Amino acid sequence: GEDVEQSLFLSVREGDSSVINCTYTDSSSTYLYWYKQEPGAGLQLLTYIFSNMDMKQDQRLTVLLNKKDKHLSLRIADTQTGDSAIYFCAEVTNAGNMLTFGGGTRLMVKP
Amino acid sequence: DAEITQSPRHKITETGRQVTLACHQTWNHNNMFWYRQDLGHGLRLIHYSYGVHDTNKGEVSDGYSVSRSNTEDLPLTLESAASSQTSVYFCASSDPGAPGDEQYFGPGTRLTVT
């Protein structure tokens, strides 16, 4: 079955880099995503990576994909207090348009 | 601007009552989804629809139903609310074939069953 796992919590200082990790089990994943959820709000797509890529960079965000180890990471450079949120990784497989989410990582940025 | 809305944003109901949560999107997306969010579980898929009159069960569909009579709306009904259904519910929609298959999420409905 499909399973996506993340660590629950990460705390960093403002200006440092944050790295949020995710592991998944379904090797047929086509897209892998990072969503951000701010308090009291819905999920907002941050970035996604197609499964035939190993890296994607978008301004302060870098996504690394290791298909062999089924490991996905999100690096946020120069982390700001506004980056404090819950970050979810998710995958979609060839089976359809359904997302399977990890449990979310709460990022706390200290001034 | 196109958007996805949910109503109500907060609801308190009693065990055994029927409850309907509304979801409305103006993107004309064919795909619509309902998730529930619980601590430690992330988001879990309840039901989804790929178009008008199409509905499918997700991972945690027991006790829930949906209907799709038009493109814009996918209401979620709890037949007989139970305390285990206290959760935050998110609706999402997507355009099949769009780059990345991005799902757009509504703001959520916090449901408390007493």
Side-chain angles (χ1 to χ4, degrees), chain A residues 33 35 37 45 88 97-98, chain B residues 31 37 48 90 100 102-103:
Chain A
Y33 305 83
Y35 279 85
Q37 184 183 31
L45 181 65
F88 291 92
N97 293 353
M98 292 170 286
Chain B
N31 298 345
Q37 183 179 25
Y48 59 100
F90 288 98
E102 179 178 358
Q103 291 189 16

Side-chain angles (χ1 to χ4, degrees), chain A residues 8 31 33 35 37 40-45 48 86 88 92 95-104, chain B residues 9 31 33 35 37 40-43 45 48 50 90 94 96 98-103 105-108:
Chain A
L8 285 177
Y31 289 105
Y33 305 83
Y35 279 85
Q37 184 183 31
L43 276 71
Q44 179 184 15
L45 181 65
Y48 66 91
I86 301 176
F88 291 92
V92 67
N97 293 353
M98 292 170 286
L99 288 171
T100 299
F101 286 89
Chain B
R9 295 294 313 277
N31 298 345
F33 308 84
Y35 298 89
Q37 183 179 25
H41 289 281
L43 276 76
L45 183 64
Y48 59 100
Y50 289 150
F90 288 98
S94 71
D101 278 336
E102 179 178 358
Q103 291 189 16
F105 283 79

Side-chain angles (χ1 to χ4, degrees), chain A residues 4 10 23 28 33 35 43 47 68 70-72 100 102 105:
Chain A
V4 181
L10 176 66
T23 58
S28 66
Y33 305 83
Y35 279 85
L43 276 71
T47 187
K68 175 175 169 290
K70 298 189 183 68
H71 183 266
L72 181 74
T100 299
T105 299

Side-chain angles (χ1 to χ4, degrees), chain A residues 21-88:
Chain A
N21 295 301
C22 173
T23 58
Y24 61 97
T25 56
D26 194 326
S27 58
S28 66
S29 297
T30 52
Y31 289 105
L32 294 124
Y33 305 83
W34 284 104
Y35 279 85
K36 178 182 181 181
Q37 184 183 31
E38 296 186 357
L43 276 71
Q44 179 184 15
L45 181 65
L46 277 180
T47 187
Y48 66 91
I49 188 166
F50 192 50
S51 58
N52 67 354
M53 299 168 64
D54 52 21
M55 187 181 91
K56 181 178 181 181
Q57 188 151 3
D58 184 2
Q59 299 181 338
R60 292 191 297 121
L61 305 179
T62 303
V63 178
L64 295 177
L65 175 61
N66 181 329
K67 282 196 74 174
K68 175 175 169 290
D69 295 338
K70 298 189 183 68
H71 183 266
L72 181 74
S73 68
L74 173 69
R75 179 177 180 268
I76 306 173
D78 187 25
T79 313
Q80 303 297 306
T81 54
D83 295 324
S84 293
I86 301 176
Y87 291 81
F88 291 92

